[in-house]
Structures are given as C-alpha cells and as structure tokens.
Amino acid sequence: MSKLPSDTIRDGIAFVLEKSKAKPRKFTETIELQIGLKNYDPQKDKRFNGTVSLPSIPRPKLKLCMLGDAKHCEEAVGVGIDHMDVEALKKLNKNKKLIKKLAKKYNHFLASESVIKQIPRLLGPGLNKAGKFPTLCTHSEALENKVNGIRAQVKFQLKKVLCLAVAVGNVEMTEKEIFVNTQTSINFLVSLLKKNWQNVKSLNLKSTMGPPFRLF
C-alpha cells in the first residue's frame, strides 16, 4: 500500500507532539506535511491539483464566509461563521482592493444558489483569481455538514516549485487521528504523481513552530 512504514509515521507524530508540548504556544499549532518532489518538471509535466477529505478535521478554525440568501445567512450565525448578503456585496462596489482584502481575510467561501450566479457581476473575477471561488450550498443539505466537509479537506496543488505543504492535523488531536490523516494525505498525494513514489524526494512532518521530522 505504501512505502512508508507505519512506525515511522507514528514516531514522527510523537516527535512533533513532544516538541510542541515542551514549548507550548498561545495558539493551537497546525501539523503540516511538507512534501518535496523530484523527477518532475512543472514547466512540462502536468501540474496536478486534487482535493481529499480527511477523516478528522485538521483545521477546525478555518475561516469561512457565507455569501448567502437570508436563510443561509441565518444558518451561518448558528454554525458560527461570518456571512454577507447581496447588499453587503454590492457595497464593495467592485472595488478591487476591497475584494482582494475580502479574499485574503477568509480561507474559503460558500455561496447560496441564488447568490453564486451573481458573484461575477457583483465582485468581478477577484475571488476566482485568488483561487477562492465559493462552494455552492443548497438548502437541502445542512450548512454545518458542508462547513465541516470543507474544514476536513486538504488540497494538493503543484505550482511552479517542487515543494508543497498541507495541514494534516493540529497538536490537540490524538495521535491516532493525526496518523490516519497523515496516511490518507500521503497515499492520496502519491496517487496524483506521475511515477508515484519515484517522484517523492522527501516527506516531513512539522508543527507550526516546531522542528521538522523527516518521514521519507
């Protein structure tokens, strides 16, 4: 299944958690999987882009904003995420600076069906350029499920450089949760690569402020 022994991953997780406990921070540190690739030419080879849902939510504090109709805005309050209605979007007046600031403020946007159609007209291409075009929300599914689904997702996207990093957990999760998330992420990444494990140069686990642990 994988070239990586489970024990190595477990050792890495124990190391990261130990270092984090030794020097507690005032915030919950995120645990990242840092990936170095080889035998890959971002200019010629197809740049991959894939999203996988992890069994446990790695970043429960991911900042989301609902661009919603009245009902969705109300639900957003219940779920504890920010929201904007069409009137609030109109007030941005297609001002590029304000839209850029909005895109920067949140990790992800959601939008109601009636609002998503109006986004290009209301906001122009700003959110799209930032790679944050909203996820469609319908009234048939609970907003909370949608929000948790997004918070559990990690995206692997190869840009111009051969290294990437994704969040696989945080230091408040159990070792088992982090282990399953890390394994899911690594297996998914390898499945995206052209030559699978032959394209993997290095894998490191690291908490936000802690030292890295080399897995591979």
Side-chain angles (χ1 to χ4, degrees), residues 9-72:
I9 301 179
R10 286 197 179 92
D11 291 347
I13 294 165
F15 171 84
V16 168
L17 291 176
E18 196 182 316
K19 293 288 179 200
S20 170
K21 280 194 185 93
K23 210 170 179 188
R25 307 282 170 176
K26 288 196 171 101
F27 63 97
T28 304
E29 291 182 76
T30 298
I31 296 174
E32 255 188 355
L33 175 67
Q34 297 176 330
I35 301 129
L37 301 175
K38 61 180 181 185
N39 306 336
Y40 224 92
D41 183 349
Q43 304 299 332
K44 290 186 198 139
D45 289 324
K46 186 171 172 268
R47 290 190 197 174
F48 56 79
N49 181 352
T51 306
V52 64
S53 285
L54 300 179
S56 307
I57 294 176
R59 291 171 299 177
K61 291 194 173 82
L62 202 66
K63 279 190 176 159
L64 305 174
C65 183
M66 177 81 211
L67 312 176
D69 54 24
K71 190 174 174 223
H72 268 143

Side-chain angles (χ1 to χ4, degrees), residues 170-205:
N170 61 61
V171 293
E172 288 184 352
M173 287 162 68
T174 64
E175 288 193 26
K176 190 178 178 193
E177 287 173 330
I178 302 167
F179 173 76
V180 177
N181 275 3
T182 306
Q183 212 174 26
T184 308
S185 303
I186 292 171
N187 290 341
F188 181 74
L189 165 80
V190 171
S191 73
L192 288 176
L193 298 172
K194 204 168 73 173
K195 291 183 177 158
N196 305 104
W197 278 99
Q198 288 167 353
N199 287 129
V200 181
K201 183 180 177 185
S202 67
L203 292 171
N204 283 303
L205 261 192

Side-chain angles (χ1 to χ4, degrees), residues 67-70 72 86 111-119 121-122 136-139:
L67 312 176
D69 54 24
H72 268 143
V86 173
S112 312
E113 220 163 336
S114 57
V115 180
I116 206 161
K117 295 171 188 152
Q118 302 178 51
I119 283 170
R121 187 166 57 83
L122 292 169
L136 174 68
C137 283
T138 58
H139 288 295

Side-chain angles (χ1 to χ4, degrees), residues 144-163:
E144 193 173 357
N145 298 349
K146 195 85 178 173
V147 166
N148 286 340
I150 289 167
R151 286 186 170 147
Q153 278 176 357
V154 291
K155 188 175 185 181
F156 290 92
Q157 189 174 13
L158 183 67
K159 295 193 173 150
K160 288 176 185 157
V161 287
L162 287 180
C163 50

Side-chain angles (χ1 to χ4, degrees), residues 89-103:
L89 295 175
K90 279 181 185 162
K91 280 182 191 149
L92 294 173
N93 221 349
K94 274 200 172 174
N95 178 326
K96 281 185 184 159
K97 268 191 180 158
L98 289 176
I99 291 165
K100 205 172 179 180
K101 202 172 161 188
L102 175 73

